[in-house]
Amino acid sequence: MESFAFIVSPITIKQLKGFWSILRIKNLAPFKVLHIKRIKSIQGKEIQGYLIICPGPLDEDFILDKIFAAGHLAEKLGVRILGLGDFVAAVADKEYKRLTKSLKMPVTSGNALVAWSVFEAIYRLTRARNIALKKSTLAIIGATSSVGNLCTRKLSEYISKIIITSKDKDKLEQLKETTLHLNSIELIMEEDAYKAVQDADIVINTDNLQEKLFDIGKLKPNSIFCDVSLRYNISDKSKLRQDITFIQAGLIKLPYPDRLGIKNGLPKGITYASLAETMLLVFEEKFVDYSLGENVNLDKLEEIADIAVQHGFEVWVPEAPVL
């Protein structure tokens, strides 16, 4: 049976306990936390996987050392591909070559399926509510991240006005140039996230490293807030602004209702898109470096979406279920 490994990075001690008893954590070295013995596709195929936990902040200088250590552990487990999970946000483009050269297996970030989940969430919700995307204004927080970059380029096909924000002005300029080359739209660069969201009908947050995004009071009345960082409690936010539609993107419904043994607070049968992408590549026996870097080819969004359908994986958007 083919297998994968996926790096997990708990954000809080509570989450860490959910994966592994706190009594067993004696150092910060990566270690195997869970063996997922069987994952099934609607095609009848079965695979297995391992979750490797790496406690600690994601933005440390020695982040690559953690990934290398986890990767070498994965090699010992005999897996065919490694999913980076949250750690991808802390790996610069120039470091991917060093990473893939050091490890003896292909690597994926999972970001192609994450970005597709954001696109489908927005597309399904606006369609269900008869909201004209072409007449809407979209703001993307963290637009130069891999997911933000993909969402900007993909949604430029459907939305005529996009506001992009990032701390990296040079990368923002590059993204603007690339996007305008693809589609003729109104694209505005804005350094201040507060200003970016004030006039936006739809807001996408992809900033996984930023602890506090902004005061949700700045959001435009009756707008849509799509969070893909998985670091904000959407249910709590919705109580503060009942006029706002809060969507937790980046989630996938598995074809069979299995919790995979993970206590992550998600409903049964729901998992992270980044983990699901790693699974899907194993089902397809597509053992290649996949969605790496900040400029992932848009074709991979369509490809991974097609693969997901073939194996019965579905983007989970409770606010706009598939009809």
Side-chain angles (χ1 to χ4, degrees):
M1 189 184 299
E2 299 289 8
S3 60
F4 67 89
F6 187 81
I7 305 177
V8 178
S9 175
I11 303 162
T12 66
I13 292 297
K14 183 178 180 181
Q15 290 178 341
L16 191 58
K17 284 183 177 181
F19 286 99
W20 199 265
S21 170
I22 193 67
L23 298 177
R24 299 188 63 174
I25 299 171
K26 297 182 179 180
N27 56 58
L28 294 182
F31 58 94
K32 182 178 69 174
V33 61
L34 181 66
H35 178 199
I36 306 173
K37 296 181 179 180
R38 191 176 72 165
I39 305 159
K40 293 179 63 177
S41 158
I42 59 172
Q43 294 185 5
K45 295 182 178 180
E46 294 185 4
I47 63 172
Q48 63 178 340
Y50 298 88
L51 301 185
I52 299 174
I53 194 167
C54 281
L58 297 180
D59 54 349
E60 298 174 352
D61 293 334
F62 55 89
I63 190 72
L64 276 180
D65 293 336
K66 283 191 172 184
I67 297 174
F68 289 145
H72 294 318
L73 174 56
E75 290 173 352
K76 292 179 181 178
L77 294 169
V79 306
R80 299 296 302 276
I81 191 168
L82 175 67
L84 297 181
D86 275 350
F87 276 82
V88 68
V91 181
D93 252 9
K94 62 182 179 181
E95 295 170 327
Y96 279 114
K97 289 184 178 179
R98 179 185 163 197
L99 174 62
T100 55
K101 187 176 180 179
S102 171
L103 299 179
K104 298 177 182 178
M105 70 179 70
V107 177
T108 187
S109 69
N111 282 340
L113 190 57
V114 174
W116 179 263
S117 76
V118 176
F119 165 73
E120 186 164 324
I122 290 173
Y123 184 82
R124 274 164 45 184
L125 183 63
T126 53
R127 188 173 183 180
R129 297 186 177 183
N130 294 316
I131 298 172
L133 275 176
K134 276 293 182 183
K135 297 180 180 179
S136 301
T137 296
L138 168 68
I140 301 181
I141 311 301
T144 57
S145 66
S146 179
V147 173
N149 187 307
L150 280 166
C151 289
T152 301
R153 287 181 284 147
K154 180 63 180 177
L155 283 162
S156 69
E157 302 174 25
Y158 299 84
I159 298 178
S160 56
K161 182 178 180 181
I162 300 179
I163 305 168
I164 53 177
T165 74
S166 173
K167 297 175 182 178
D168 194 321
K169 190 175 181 180
D170 291 337
K171 288 183 180 180
L172 211 58
E173 288 278 7
Q174 293 172 9
L175 176 57
K176 180 178 180 179
E177 183 179 344
T178 301
T179 304
L180 291 178
H181 182 73
L182 293 172
N183 297 288
S184 180
I185 65 169
E186 182 181 358
L187 199 153
I188 301 169
M189 296 192 308
E190 177 57 68
E191 295 182 14
D192 189 338
Y194 290 98
K195 292 182 180 179
V197 304
Q198 287 178 349
D199 296 321
D201 303 294
I202 304 167
V203 177
I204 298 173
N205 172 45
T206 74
D207 196 338
N208 214 25
L209 297 179
Q210 192 168 315
E211 294 182 0
K212 186 175 181 181
L213 178 61
F214 48 74
D215 181 359
I216 61 171
K218 300 292 184 180
L219 294 172
K220 182 179 179 179
N222 302 309
S223 59
I224 297 170
F225 182 86
C226 183
D227 182 55
V228 73
S229 73
L230 302 177
R231 289 175 178 257
Y232 301 96
N233 191 320
I234 293 296
S235 60
D236 287 348
K237 301 291 186 186
S238 61
K239 294 176 184 177
L240 298 174
R241 286 287 303 272
Q242 295 184 6
D243 63 308
I244 306 296
T245 300
F246 291 92
I247 304 174
Q248 188 74 75
L251 299 175
I252 299 294
K253 183 180 180 181
L254 299 174
Y256 300 98
D258 191 345
R259 289 189 185 277
L260 305 178
I262 308 172
K263 296 178 182 179
N264 53 14
L266 297 177
K268 189 175 182 180
I270 307 301
T271 193
Y272 300 116
S274 52
L275 174 55
E277 178 178 300
T278 311
M279 295 175 179
L280 289 168
L281 293 175
V282 179
F283 276 126
E284 285 292 292
E285 298 185 14
K286 198 176 183 66
F287 302 121
V288 295
D289 293 327
Y290 202 68
S291 50
L292 295 183
E294 296 166 354
N295 294 287
V296 178
N297 194 310
L298 277 177
D299 291 342
K300 288 188 175 178
L301 268 71
E302 306 288 346
E303 180 182 50
I304 200 65
D306 288 342
I307 292 173
V309 171
Q310 291 169 24
H311 292 280
F313 285 51
E314 176 189 307
V315 174
W316 190 63
V317 189
E319 298 83 0
V322 176
L323 300 178

